[in-house]
Amino acid sequence: MKMTNAALFGFGTIGTGVAKILLNNADRVANAAGQSVNLVKICDKDIAVKRDVVLPPDVLTDGIDAVINDPNIQIGIELIGGTTFAKDLVLRLLEKGKNVITANKALLAQHGRELFETARKYGKTIAFEAAVCGGIPILNALSTALQANTLQSVNAIVNGTSNYILSQMESGGTSYQDAVKQAQKLGYAEANPAMDVDGTDAVQKLTILAQLGFGAAVNWQDVSRIGIEAVESLDFHYANELGYRIKLLAVAERSDDGLELHVSPTLVKTDNLLAAVNGAFNAVRVIGDAVGPVFFHGLGAGSLPTASAVVGDVIDTVLGRTAITFNALNLWGENRRDVPLKKQSEFFGRSYLRFHAEDQPGVLHEISGIFGKHGISIATLIQHAPAQRAAEHLPAVLILTTHEAREGGLLEAIAELERSPHITGSVVRMRVQD
Ligand code: HSE
């Protein structure tokens, strides 16, 4: 019987899940791939720490060079993470004639073009379903079944950690810090959880979705990003009062003048399916011109859900399905159709703002004047006066939502508000999606 030998690089949370599936479900995988897939080597710099999987002897090694150079290994699975060592590893694997599977969104968002060019040069493939939304087969859907469509939008919850934190905060029982720790313990968070909460992880995933769904070649650092660090429990209260829930949304939206890409905490109308996505779950709502809206939901992080996507890629690579799609799509290729990107100042939509203002005569007049001057129309306004206003000179909390407006005008209005002597601190901003 034919067989394929695979090596795993990185034996952490996802690596352990991949080893479990490849070893414990070997028959299932062999049936799907039409041949046995042998996990012959696992490389990690730490070969002493105990993992939750029993390995055959001699599989675990810290001798990475011998594995990269082994001509009997046809597939390399990169689960090391990061963009320096991992990039070098993927390039070396391709040069050595191995097909690559990776879950590394940062690597693809940063070096997609170079890696894919190298893969094409050596006639090899890179599969990366696990890089976006873990177990949800969204990349597969975008690159195969939805290819008949011109996509209009992708709205997605792509970071399980921040969704978990927001859900825990909203349900009232858990502090922000405890929710972060819990997410780390459950294996959802990045090695540096700052990348989950500041929106970096979501932007990197959005960059990949934009390449697959819209042909947009974007530097992830150029994508407009707001994290969830400034979200407070009172925001959930006000959002609820207005008929919304708060989610960290990654958005790609096409209009006649280009593609809008951004990540930000967003007030999502309660009857929108995305509003009901809780905990570490991810979801993607795609609208195509032919298919209309399609909704994907599932676990976007964690050991086995992510490993499910990695092993699915292994099977597709062995079967040759990856090569067919890979060659047809020409991802990050020079001649790939490209959409123009809209500048942030030209984004158009509604916003939610929260800030502290002096509770004195004329202040609200000044505030509404600033919005009016920049062409922003206020849709709702809530003011909560402090209990001991006169004695303490405490500022009032103001929450307002805007009607649809150009983001350039909104940012100018915010800058002017923050310069006003009657406003304390900075303005917290979220988007609103009806
Ligand atoms: N830290 C990521 C998340 C893991 O929380 O979604 C999957 O990319």
Side-chain angles (χ1 to χ4, degrees):
M1 191 188 185
K2 267 178 76 181
M3 63 169 76
T4 292
N5 292 330
L8 189 59
F9 299 86
F11 199 24
T13 307
I14 307 171
T16 304
V18 170
K20 273 184 192 166
I21 298 179
L22 286 177
L23 295 170
N24 303 343
N25 292 4
D27 289 348
R28 164 96 209 94
V29 173
N31 272 336
Q35 57 182 280
S36 58
V37 178
N38 307 319
L39 181 58
V40 291
K41 287 289 171 195
I42 300 179
C43 297
D44 198 283
K45 58 182 187 305
D46 186 348
I47 56 171
V49 74
K50 274 244 158 297
R51 275 89 168 183
D52 178 27
V53 58
V54 181
L55 300 179
D58 300 329
V59 167
L60 188 56
T61 174
D62 56 5
I64 191 163
D65 289 332
V67 180
I68 296 170
N69 293 326
D70 185 341
N72 294 316
I73 293 172
Q74 294 84 34
I75 291 182
I77 307 170
E78 184 279 309
L79 299 175
I80 286 174
T83 54
T84 312
F85 187 80
K87 179 185 169 202
D88 185 55
L89 169 65
V90 170
L91 291 173
R92 288 176 69 195
L93 288 169
L94 293 168
E95 283 160 17
K96 291 286 171 189
K98 301 180 198 325
N99 289 312
V100 169
I101 287 145
T102 179
N104 192 334
K105 66 251 141 181
L107 180 66
L108 297 176
Q110 191 140 335
H111 300 295
R113 178 148 285 169
E114 182 181 348
L115 296 175
F116 277 68
E117 260 168 24
T118 306
R120 281 188 275 270
K121 178 172 155 197
Y122 290 98
K124 295 292 144 194
T125 59
I126 302 174
F128 52 103
E129 183 63 65
V132 180
C133 294
I136 304 177
I138 181 62
L139 303 187
N140 196 308
L142 290 177
S143 40
T144 58
L146 293 173
Q147 277 291 308
N149 291 266
T150 298
L151 296 192
Q152 290 164 5
S153 64
V154 173
N155 285 272
I157 295 172
V158 293
N159 183 266
T161 299
S162 53
N163 203 50
Y164 180 83
I165 293 168
L166 293 174
S167 305
Q168 295 293 97
M169 286 174 77
E170 185 171 37
S171 59
T174 314
S175 72
Y176 180 88
Q177 290 308 338
D178 283 351
V180 176
K181 278 192 206 133
Q182 193 69 23
Q184 280 175 295
K185 218 168 107 189
L186 292 166
Y188 303 148
E190 295 301 298
N192 171 8
M195 296 175 84
D196 293 298
V197 295
D198 73 5
T200 299
D201 176 79
V203 159
Q204 290 173 339
K205 290 168 179 166
L206 179 62
T207 304
I208 296 171
L209 288 171
Q211 167 64 209
L212 258 94
F214 300 88
V218 197
N219 179 345
W220 70 265
Q221 276 127 331
D222 295 338
V223 177
S224 158
R225 164 173 67 90
I226 308 175
I228 63 164
E229 305 101 315
V231 179
E232 292 183 6
S233 27
L234 78 168
D235 294 312
F236 295 102
H237 174 79
Y238 294 122
N240 190 268
E241 192 173 322
L242 296 166
Y244 297 88
R245 299 188 64 197
I246 300 173
K247 299 289 166 196
L248 184 72
L249 276 202
V251 173
E253 176 128 30
R254 190 200 296 268
S255 58
D256 290 344
D257 43 351
L259 186 69
E260 221 174 89
L261 291 179
H262 45 77
V263 165
S264 59
T266 304
L267 272 69
V268 181
K269 204 81 177 153
T270 42
D271 61 4
N272 182 327
L273 286 177
L274 288 166
V277 176
N278 289 318
F281 279 87
N282 283 192
V284 188
R285 186 171 191 264
V286 179
I287 301 182
D289 62 344
V291 73
V294 194
F295 193 79
F296 301 83
H297 180 257
L299 280 168
S303 179
L304 284 173
T306 312
S308 157
V310 171
V311 177
D313 275 347
V314 171
I315 292 166
D316 274 0
T317 300
V318 173
L319 282 172
R321 261 198 302 247
T322 303
I324 294 170
T325 315
F326 187 88
N327 292 329
L329 288 181
N330 190 28
L331 290 176
W332 281 281
E334 288 297 343
N335 303 323
R336 195 162 151 71
R337 80 202 133 85
D338 220 338
V339 284
L341 291 181
K342 273 168 85 169
K343 285 203 224 118
Q344 186 180 358
S345 57
E346 298 306 321
F347 293 178
F348 195 71
R350 297 189 58 206
S351 293
Y352 164 102
L353 307 177
R354 167 170 56 79
F355 52 95
H356 291 86
E358 260 178 32
D359 195 11
Q360 300 297 335
V363 172
L364 207 49
H365 176 74
E366 180 194 337
I367 292 168
S368 65
I370 291 175
F371 282 104
K373 186 171 125 191
H374 293 283
I376 312 290
S377 171
I378 295 169
T380 64
L381 175 66
I382 304 171
Q383 173 172 325
H384 273 239
Q388 300 165 1
R389 181 175 77 90
E392 309 277 350
H393 297 289
L394 290 172
V397 180
L398 278 164
I399 288 96
L400 62 84
T401 62
T402 70
H403 285 297
E404 289 207 308
R406 225 176 36 83
E407 196 150 313
L410 181 80
L411 295 176
E412 284 163 16
I414 290 175
E416 193 168 336
L417 277 177
E418 288 178 339
R419 284 196 302 271
S420 163
H422 305 297
I423 307 293
T424 318
S426 47
V427 175
V428 172
R429 176 166 74 99
M430 305 190 206
R431 289 192 164 83
V432 178
Q433 199 176 89
D434 291 308

